[in-house]
Amino acid sequence: MARYITQRIIYMIITLFLIATATFFLMKLLPGTPFNMEDKLTEAQKAALYEQYGLNDPLPVQYANYIFGLVQGDMGISFQFDNRKVEDLIMDRIGPSAQLGFQSLVFGTVIGLILGLISAIKRNTAYDYSSNLMAILGKSIPSFVFAGLLQYYLAVKFGWFPVSFWDSFKHTILPTIANAMFTLAVTQRFLRTEMLEVLGSDYIVLARAKGLKNSVVTFKHGLRNALIPVITIMGPLVVSMMTGSLVIEKIFAIPGIGEQFVRSIQMNDYAMIMGTTMFFSILFVVVILIVDLLYVVVDPRIRLTGGKE
Amino acid sequence: MEKLLEVKDLTVSFDTYGGKVQAVRGVNFDLYKGETLAIVGESGSGKSVTTKALMGLIPSPPGNIEKGEILFDGKNLAKLSEKEMTKIRGKDISMIFQDPMTSLNPTMKIGNQIMEGLIKHQRMNRTDAKKRAIELLELVGIPNAQERIKQYPHQFSGGMRQRVVIAISLACNPKILIADEPTTALDVTIQAQILDLMKDLQKKTEASIIFITHDLGVVANVADRVAVMYAGKIVEIGTVDDIFYNPKHPYTWGLLGSMPTLDNTEEELVAIPGSPPDLINPPKGDAFAPRNPYALKIDLEQEPPMFKVSDTHYAATWLLHEHAPDVEPPESVKRRMKGFAKTGTAPGVDEKKGDES
Ligand SMILES: Nc1ncnc2c1ncn2[C@@H]1O[C@H](COP(=O)(O)OP(=O)(O)OP(=O)(O)O)[C@@H](O)[C@H]1O
Ligand SMILES: [Mg+2]
């Protein structure tokens, strides 16, 4: 097990290095240059800023400097916010993003699991059909469209919720729902399929043949086994939720990392773009590692082989 | 002998997209205390559905018990509610399935899977149930049971898993044990061991066994009586001797003709021509008639009733009618019948014992 984890961490570091390299060069291909939004700057002032941020160095030198800084935990200085360090800026903004992410993950998976379970137990009934309809909508409508719809109807038209900003818990409800819809839909579909397969398996018939109550068979023997594979989709879901939150934060004017990230791209704030990308990347690989380890812990069939690796 | 179970006119259907599948069409049989009744027949003839009906395990929808009675212990099981059925399943009637690789819960320890029934039906506490689980594992021949109960199914071989399933089924001393092709998925040496184990356990527990199989060799080895099913009906029923030495139904002849025996290996096996009928629209008359070289005109018109051959032996074929022509089984089947008489048992399951690893 320890060997397995070490191996995984080495792969993680290689992955992160590749992401850093790719993002660095891709970003240089972005149209426009930094500081061009600030019309008030003279050419001479711009040149001074370029020099100060090392943007006049040859690309390989810039790259080497960046990677060197990154290894030491230094993500550089943001261009747009007077000389503030990128990592500080991210930390300032992490609160709302983390809250949005956490709330949507919990809401999306819990409701998705409940709907999936109902669908499977009551398959081919009105319950199943409505649950499926909801999942199909959640999967096919992009979250920004959903966000707009929620905002227009529930906030603007009926006035039940605030339109935007991040203040009370009430402010968080619409963005959470909009951000969670995809997760909810995917979880519903996945659990429904898994549960139906499990409920049709021989060991469920054997459990019933033992004379166990239906509820015991469904939950203790059925749900438990159907839930294990759900863990595998949690990694990708967390990822999609993080990327989804970029847009959601923008739409609801939430002062989070995503909103800042979108603005940094518009402003060609290279250090900020790189820093945020690396921050998300680190989060992704860590989440995926945790999910894989969780799988090993929960599924007894993997425990042995996992240990040998 | 004491009658334990009485099945009368059992009729089961399934609603499918193509129409109503009449899987079991009026099955009658009795089960006596301590006997082993084998049910044989081609795939799809309704063997599993019949026995699932006895346990109230027909999935509904799409399945329905349309007609019939299953009398056990003064109750009609066909009419019991799900809740009342849970008191009988696993306690009075239990079941062993075909594929031991899939019939155990992969994420639950073996011990817990055995203990569940004990806790439910015998109201044991966990300590007693655990003790009993260890005893049961020892009874079915699993060494080191103390340690084994803490393991998961994937840590057991196929034969070992089937032993565990047998232990589960025996946990509450059932009066009836239904074994649905319990050895089909296992290799020959393990098959023989499991059969021996079942015979041995039956002697100890005096349970009645309903044994479903495709393999007539296994029938000769384990059964007291045999029911031959075709297209959702029992077409012939009798003692093992009745069926092997004096078969009356042409379908039974066909089955015997397609079965290898020890002493005439060089002889070619004769497959039954054609395929089983569509159970959505079962044919008028005798369902076997289109495949039956001895079919009479009446077979296409009217279903044959059960004719009595002897007190123990019945067959549903018009050939037994007093006005029917005298038809003898084909020569190959007759030779084979003599073969059984000579060697005692059919194919040598007993000869192929080996060590399970
Ligand atoms: N859940 C179901 N839905 C629809 N049809 C079913 C269902 N279960 C069984 N049947 C049908 O009932 C008929 C009898 O099936 P059954 O499983 O009893 O056959 P069997 O004699 O046990 O065959 P095998 O030897 O292959 O196990 C088949 O035609 C089958 O298609
Ligand atoms: Mg079957």
Side-chain angles (χ1 to χ4, degrees):
Chain A
M1 191 72 175
R3 233 186 98 195
Y4 175 69
I5 296 176
T6 326
Q7 203 178 8
R8 285 294 304 265
I9 290 175
I10 293 171
Y11 282 134
M12 270 168 61
I13 292 170
I14 297 173
T15 312
L16 289 173
F17 172 75
L18 292 176
I19 293 174
T21 309
T23 325
F24 184 86
F25 290 104
L26 281 174
M27 187 183 60
K28 293 289 176 188
L29 295 176
L30 279 179
T33 50
F35 314 117
N36 55 3
M37 305 290 240
E38 294 152 63
D39 298 331
K40 279 158 272 169
L41 295 177
T42 64
E43 283 306 313
Q45 280 170 316
K46 269 193 198 172
L49 282 168
Y50 262 64
E51 191 55 45
Q52 183 194 332
Y53 287 107
L55 292 171
N56 289 332
D57 295 340
L59 214 49
V61 176
Q62 288 188 34
Y63 171 70
N65 283 340
Y66 185 76
I67 295 292
F68 190 66
L70 204 57
V71 170
Q72 296 176 317
D74 175 10
M75 289 177 161
I77 309 277
S78 162
F79 303 165
Q80 27 170 354
F81 307 97
D82 349 287
N83 293 335
R84 293 204 49 201
K85 290 171 98 179
V86 168
E87 50 268 35
D88 291 347
L89 284 166
I90 292 176
M91 283 307 148
D92 279 357
R93 293 285 192 118
I94 203 166
S97 293
Q99 190 186 350
L100 176 64
F102 180 74
Q103 281 183 196
S104 356
L105 189 67
V106 171
F107 177 78
T109 44
V110 169
I111 304 293
L113 290 178
I114 292 174
L115 289 178
L117 184 64
I118 293 175
S119 257
I121 297 176
K122 307 242 173 228
R123 70 176 164 286
N124 300 335
T125 63
Y127 296 103
D128 184 21
Y129 298 140
S130 12
S131 159
N132 287 340
L133 182 71
M134 192 146 162
I136 290 165
L137 290 180
K139 221 169 168 177
S140 45
I141 301 179
S143 66
F144 61 88
V145 176
F146 209 79
L149 289 173
L150 287 175
Q151 220 171 20
Y152 180 69
Y153 285 102
L154 300 189
V156 177
K157 249 189 147 168
F158 300 132
W160 294 344
F161 295 97
V163 179
S164 57
F165 298 125
W166 194 257
D167 221 348
S168 63
F169 177 70
K170 218 173 169 188
H171 285 84
T172 71
I173 293 176
L174 293 189
T176 300
I177 295 176
N179 199 24
M181 274 320 278
F182 184 75
T183 303
L184 188 154
V186 173
T187 319
Q188 190 272 2
R189 303 303 306 157
F190 199 84
L191 186 70
R192 182 180 187 274
T193 314
E194 284 299 324
M195 192 69 187
L196 283 181
E197 195 185 316
V198 167
L199 287 182
S201 63
D202 289 351
Y203 61 84
I204 291 295
V205 185
L206 183 76
R208 300 226 299 136
K210 282 186 212 171
L212 301 177
K213 272 194 302 193
N214 245 330
S215 54
V216 177
V217 174
T218 309
F219 289 97
K220 199 169 159 198
H221 289 267
L223 187 60
R224 220 191 109 105
N225 282 293
L227 277 178
I228 290 177
V230 173
I231 296 173
T232 49
I233 57 164
M234 291 314 283
L237 281 180
V238 170
V239 170
S240 83
M241 189 127 24
M242 285 196 237
T243 44
S245 69
L246 300 185
V247 188
I248 299 290
E249 287 183 10
K250 189 81 189 161
I251 294 174
F252 288 94
I254 299 166
I257 298 174
E259 193 264 353
Q260 192 182 46
F261 186 50
V262 174
R263 190 143 37 86
S264 305
I265 295 174
Q266 288 162 351
M267 312 256 299
N268 280 311
D269 186 345
Y270 294 154
M272 205 56 215
I273 298 174
M274 280 300 296
T276 315
T277 309
M278 288 321 292
F279 174 76
F280 276 135
S281 306
I282 293 168
L283 221 57
F284 291 171
V285 289
V286 170
V287 164
I288 288 169
L289 177 69
I290 291 175
V291 165
D292 285 356
L293 292 181
L294 209 59
Y295 205 82
V296 176
V297 172
V298 182
D299 194 334
R301 283 163 296 185
I302 302 183
R303 212 169 284 164
L304 278 186
T305 44
K308 269 187 229 145
E309 270 190 26
Chain B
M1 261 199 293
E2 191 186 330
K3 224 185 251 181
L4 197 56
L5 180 83
E6 211 173 324
V7 177
K8 289 183 183 167
D9 197 25
L10 182 65
T11 305
V12 185
S13 69
F14 291 94
D15 294 316
T16 65
Y17 289 112
K20 196 148 94 177
V21 178
Q22 299 179 317
V24 174
R25 307 183 300 144
V27 158
N28 296 284
F29 68 90
D30 298 331
L31 184 70
Y32 298 97
K33 193 159 187 267
E35 76 164 342
T36 298
L37 171 70
I39 303 182
V40 297
E42 275 169 305
S43 194
S45 54
K47 307 181 294 290
S48 299
V49 172
T50 303
T51 49
K52 278 192 178 149
L54 305 186
M55 289 200 84
L57 286 177
I58 300 284
S60 168
N64 285 305
I65 298 188
E66 301 209 328
K67 256 195 326 196
E69 292 174 33
I70 302 166
L71 302 176
F72 171 78
D73 206 11
K75 284 171 281 217
N76 177 6
L77 304 189
K79 290 274 180 294
L80 284 194
S81 69
E82 167 67 21
K83 194 164 165 239
E84 290 167 306
M85 247 354 257
T86 59
K87 290 186 196 138
I88 292 176
R89 270 187 225 134
K91 179 164 171 281
D92 295 321
I93 310 180
S94 63
M95 199 157 184
I96 305 169
F97 296 90
Q98 176 171 353
D99 189 355
M101 299 316 269
T102 56
S103 49
L104 291 167
N105 184 338
T107 59
M108 196 187 262
K109 288 183 182 145
I110 293 297
N112 287 335
Q113 300 197 44
I114 303 175
M115 285 153 63
E116 270 184 326
L118 295 167
I119 292 168
K120 158 105 211 281
H121 295 299
Q122 315 220 322
R123 313 206 168 282
M124 282 190 186
N125 60 32
R126 284 193 66 86
T127 332
D128 291 344
K130 193 171 158 187
K131 245 188 250 152
R132 174 83 176 126
I134 294 171
E135 278 172 24
L136 282 162
L137 280 188
E138 281 163 357
L139 184 71
V140 297
I142 292 186
N144 201 8
Q146 197 93 27
E147 289 304 311
R148 288 294 227 170
I149 57 163
K150 292 180 217 145
Q151 294 184 330
Y152 290 93
H154 70 269
Q155 291 162 288
F156 289 71
S157 69
M160 283 292 172
R161 285 191 211 190
Q162 198 62 307
R163 286 171 193 262
V164 173
V165 175
I166 293 174
I168 291 174
S169 68
L170 290 177
C172 303
N173 299 316
K175 300 195 178 79
I176 302 174
L177 187 61
I178 298 169
D180 192 344
E181 305 192 35
T183 57
T184 312
L186 303 171
D187 59 52
V188 186
T189 53
I190 315 277
Q191 267 186 28
Q193 292 174 4
I194 296 287
L195 289 179
D196 282 349
L197 173 69
M198 289 186 63
K199 282 198 281 189
D200 187 38
L201 291 172
Q202 186 182 27
K203 261 184 230 134
K204 286 184 193 153
T205 61
E206 294 181 333
S208 305
I209 298 181
I210 298 179
F211 198 108
I212 298 178
T213 179
H214 286 277
D215 187 343
L216 285 174
V218 171
V219 173
N221 189 359
V222 301
D224 302 307
R225 287 197 306 138
V226 187
V228 180
M229 276 192 85
Y230 185 78
K233 294 191 165 209
I234 292 182
V235 293
E236 183 159 10
I237 186 165
T239 63
V240 169
D241 287 352
D242 293 335
I243 299 297
F244 278 86
Y245 306 135
N246 189 22
K248 290 295 180 197
H249 198 287
Y251 179 65
T252 313
W253 298 345
L255 283 184
L256 292 171
S258 61
M259 163 191 173
T261 57
L262 270 188
D263 60 339
N264 47 10
T265 36
E266 65 293 339
E267 192 173 344
E268 238 179 83
L269 298 177
V270 196
I272 304 172
S275 53
D278 173 15
L279 290 177
I280 293 177
N281 298 303
K284 203 171 135 203
D286 184 355
F288 186 58
R291 302 169 70 186
N292 182 2
Y294 310 98
L296 306 173
K297 229 193 218 152
I298 190 170
D299 276 318
L300 300 171
E301 298 297 326
Q302 209 180 328
E303 274 189 272
M306 270 288 182
F307 288 97
K308 182 172 174 176
V309 181
S310 73
D311 279 346
T312 54
H313 189 185
Y314 295 81
T317 167
W318 284 117
L319 294 179
L320 291 173
H321 192 266
E322 48 185 335
H323 298 312
D326 256 344
V327 176
E328 289 278 300
E331 275 310 308
S332 64
V333 173
K334 269 197 190 156
R335 271 200 303 279
R336 207 149 287 183
M337 283 152 52
K338 274 188 218 125
F340 300 142
K342 218 164 41 197
T343 51
T345 60
V349 179
D350 275 330
E351 280 72 17
K352 292 180 193 157
K353 260 176 247 172
D355 279 320
E356 193 174 336
S357 52

